Amino acid sequence: LAEYLDWYAVNFCVKAAPYPGVKAAVDALVERGVKVAVVSNKPDATTKKLAEMFFPGLPAFGQRDDTPKKPAPEMVWKAMETLGVTAEEAVYVGDSEVDVLTAQNAGIPCVSAKLRSNAT
């Protein structure tokens, strides 16, 4: 794991990109005044670098030694605090079962997106 983390710290952007349509959707939300943050189980420094590459200006929260990984809700609560929103004003958008559990644990609704495959 230590070797991988060292490699990943340098090579974090290899094949990294938002799913098709995500950048446009996030940009449209921000343009409409919706507060948006990035929450990931990737290491915090990497999460911040990737967020700045693909979603400049958005607050980003990644895995740190002092914060439990998703599906624990702490990173989501920190994002909500940073954005100045309550659970009643928040929605979590994710693409995995861990994201659904994270939203449940944080006490907020979840929109779960699944990328459709064009494979036959």
Side-chain angles (χ1 to χ4, degrees):
L1 179 59
E3 287 180 32
Y4 166 75
L5 291 174
D6 289 343
W7 177 89
Y8 189 69
V10 175
N11 298 286
F12 65 91
C13 61
V14 174
K15 296 187 179 185
Y19 290 131
V22 170
K23 174 90 172 100
V26 169
D27 289 347
L29 289 169
V30 171
E31 192 174 291
R32 288 173 174 78
V34 176
K35 297 176 181 180
V36 180
V38 175
V39 176
S40 174
N41 273 343
K42 290 178 176 61
D44 190 56
T46 304
T47 298
K48 288 177 178 2
K49 289 176 189 174
L50 288 168
E52 192 56 34
M53 285 174 59
F54 299 117
F55 308 106
L58 293 187
F61 305 86
Q63 200 279 318
R64 299 177 358 178
D65 290 340
D66 64 347
T67 306
K69 291 170 50 171
K70 298 184 302 180
E74 283 81 357
M75 283 192 286
V76 173
W77 291 338
K78 181 65 175 168
M80 290 167 45
E81 179 184 323
T82 298
L83 295 174
V85 299
T86 65
E88 292 76 22
E89 300 167 309
V91 174
Y92 187 101
V93 179
D95 66 350
S96 71
E97 291 179 23
V98 169
D99 292 320
V100 173
L101 291 171
T102 303
Q104 289 173 347
N105 292 338
I108 59 176
C110 181
V111 173
S112 182
K114 179 149 175 87
L115 185 64
R116 281 197 275 165
S117 171
N118 292 331
T120 53

